[in-house]
Amino acid sequence: MSEPVLRAAARPQLRLRTPGGEHRAQVETILRDTAVFHDFEIDIAIEVFDAFLANPGQDYCALGAFTQDGSLVGYVCYGPTPCTTGTFDLYWIAVAPAAQRTGTGTRLLQEVERRLARSGARLVLIETSSLPRYEATRTFYARRGYAVTARVPDFYADGDDRLIFAKRINASDVRQTRQWKPGKTSFEEA
Amino acid sequence: MSEPVLRAAARPQLRLRTPGGEHRAQVETILRDTAVFHDFEIDIAIEVFDAFLANPGQDYCALGAFTQDGSLVGYVCYGPTPCTTGTFDLYWIAVAPAAQRTGTGTRLLQEVERRLARSGARLVLIETSSLPRYEATRTFYARRGYAVTARVPDFYADGDDRLIFAKRINASDVRQTRQWKPGKTSFEEA
């Protein structure tokens, strides 16, 4: 019966803020513990996290979900899509297994969308695989308003297609969302 | 009547080889002279060329088309698509206006495909815009066996879709091509 307790405890106490170099090891641990990512994907995720640390907000932005004691339990990495106007890629969103099913991923995603809407973004893209092991990932995005806008057959490997999820965002949508659910979110601005 | 003369002169004398740092300015000139690329795209292309120079063949490969006097008249940049097995992106192919319609682009593309096939590539992807100004580009790829495999609406900007062209390649296809047209190509290996 540990999970319901953990859910109740984790939901109200999360704080969202920008992670720093001191969280690099925790980021890597979360990526490994999800058991979703290949080693080479984790290597790339860490390279990207380092690029974010070197120039925060230039090519990459990051946002972390922290417990009251300061432990990182989830993080998201996103950034402007090169050669586009107002399009952003959400590169990774990962939540530690113990903090999954507590709304952590949803809060990270909503906060990213809120920040992007404020910065004039039009479109958020998320790419993932068509393989069965990514079904939970695809369902997560589909339930949060993302739809498959394109599919590249055999992209990752033969039989492993690239699915591109897209969601249009704009400032008024985000303001409405926040009016509908007052008090449900409390963020520390980075 | 200058163009037919130029065509006849340029076609047999091209040499394909890997460009170096001494060709950086010529690469930029070609990109600008095509009048197809935005300034920010040229900036990115030069950044990528610099990344190629720093670590040739790691994330990016480049191939140049040179006249007998050593002038660069075209170049192509390609590389392995991150997080995939055997998929490659062709990032840029650009030919100086005076050397266009002489088969330079075709030779660069065929040589890239030959090299990729030898290295075990499965799939080559090329992205371009749906806007009318890129119609010649799209026709170029379509005539060389690339088909639109996916389309991301409003990717570059509202009304400006991302088209992803794809071509399957394998070693046997390339060997056949070379058997069918013996002596038509002569390359300097880098």
Side-chain angles (χ1 to χ4, degrees):
Chain A
M1 293 295 287
S2 65
E3 208 184 345
V5 175
L6 196 155
R7 287 188 196 183
R11 192 185 297 267
Q13 298 186 21
L14 283 183
R15 289 195 174 174
L16 304 190
R17 60 185 169 86
T18 303
E22 68 274 25
H23 303 114
R24 188 177 187 275
Q26 286 180 280
V27 164
E28 186 166 351
T29 299
I30 290 171
L31 288 165
R32 293 204 184 283
D33 288 352
T34 60
V36 172
F37 301 105
H38 294 288
D39 283 349
F40 70 87
E41 290 172 324
I42 294 172
D43 291 345
I44 291 174
I46 294 299
E47 269 182 44
V48 166
F49 189 72
D50 288 340
F52 152 73
L53 291 173
N55 291 293
Q58 181 175 299
D59 295 330
Y60 304 105
C61 308
L63 186 68
F66 294 85
T67 59
Q68 286 292 329
D69 68 4
S71 296
L72 183 73
V73 293
Y75 95 106
V76 57
C77 175
Y78 62 102
T81 308
C83 299
T84 70
T85 303
T87 298
F88 285 74
D89 267 292
L90 195 147
Y91 296 111
W92 280 275
I93 183 164
V95 175
Q100 287 178 10
R101 300 170 189 271
T102 65
T104 304
T106 301
R107 286 184 58 187
L108 284 167
L109 187 58
Q110 286 176 338
E111 177 59 7
V112 167
E113 291 173 0
R114 191 180 71 86
R115 293 182 179 202
L116 290 181
R118 283 193 313 183
S119 70
R122 298 177 299 108
L123 190 65
V124 181
L125 301 177
I126 306 174
E127 302 186 355
T128 192
S129 157
S130 65
L131 291 184
R133 64 194 289 229
Y134 292 94
E135 186 169 347
T137 302
R138 295 190 297 268
T139 301
F140 175 83
Y141 294 126
R143 287 185 179 161
R144 281 147 194 90
Y146 289 79
V148 175
T149 191
R151 180 183 197 117
V152 183
D154 301 324
F155 176 80
Y156 296 107
D158 282 339
D160 185 358
D161 302 348
R162 170 202 213 173
L163 300 180
I164 303 175
F165 285 78
K167 184 177 183 177
R168 302 281 314 200
I169 59 170
N170 61 63
S172 59
D173 286 349
V174 173
R175 277 197 296 273
Q176 281 188 316
T177 302
R178 289 177 66 80
Q179 285 167 355
W180 293 336
K181 299 181 178 181
K184 280 277 182 84
T185 53
S186 67
F187 300 110
E188 289 182 17
E189 294 298 327
Chain B
M1 295 294 287
S2 66
E3 208 184 344
V5 175
L6 198 155
R7 286 187 197 183
R11 193 186 297 267
Q13 297 187 20
L14 283 182
R15 289 196 174 171
L16 306 190
R17 60 183 169 87
T18 303
E22 68 274 24
H23 303 113
R24 188 177 187 275
Q26 285 180 280
V27 164
E28 187 167 350
T29 299
I30 290 171
L31 288 165
R32 292 204 184 284
D33 288 352
T34 61
V36 173
F37 301 105
H38 294 289
D39 283 349
F40 68 86
E41 291 173 322
I42 293 171
D43 291 345
I44 292 174
I46 293 298
E47 270 182 44
V48 166
F49 189 71
D50 287 340
F52 152 73
L53 291 173
N55 292 294
Q58 182 175 299
D59 295 330
Y60 303 106
C61 307
L63 186 67
F66 295 84
T67 59
Q68 286 293 330
D69 68 2
S71 296
L72 184 74
V73 293
Y75 95 108
V76 57
C77 176
Y78 63 101
T81 307
C83 299
T84 70
T85 303
T87 299
F88 285 74
D89 267 293
L90 194 148
Y91 295 111
W92 281 276
I93 184 166
V95 175
Q100 288 177 11
R101 300 171 191 272
T102 66
T104 304
T106 301
R107 286 185 57 186
L108 284 167
L109 187 58
Q110 286 176 337
E111 176 61 6
V112 167
E113 291 173 359
R114 191 180 71 87
R115 292 183 179 202
L116 290 181
R118 283 193 312 184
S119 70
R122 297 177 300 109
L123 191 65
V124 182
L125 300 178
I126 307 174
E127 302 186 355
T128 193
S129 157
S130 65
L131 291 185
R133 65 194 288 231
Y134 292 95
E135 187 171 344
T137 302
R138 295 190 298 268
T139 301
F140 175 82
Y141 294 125
R143 287 186 178 160
R144 281 147 194 89
Y146 290 78
V148 175
T149 190
R151 181 183 196 117
V152 183
D154 302 324
F155 175 80
Y156 296 107
D158 283 338
D160 185 357
D161 303 347
R162 169 203 214 172
L163 300 181
I164 303 175
F165 284 79
K167 184 177 184 177
R168 301 283 311 201
I169 58 170
N170 62 63
S172 59
D173 285 350
V174 172
R175 277 196 297 270
Q176 282 188 315
T177 303
R178 289 176 67 77
Q179 285 167 356
W180 292 337
K181 299 180 179 180
K184 280 275 181 87
T185 54
S186 65
F187 300 109
E188 289 183 17
E189 294 297 328

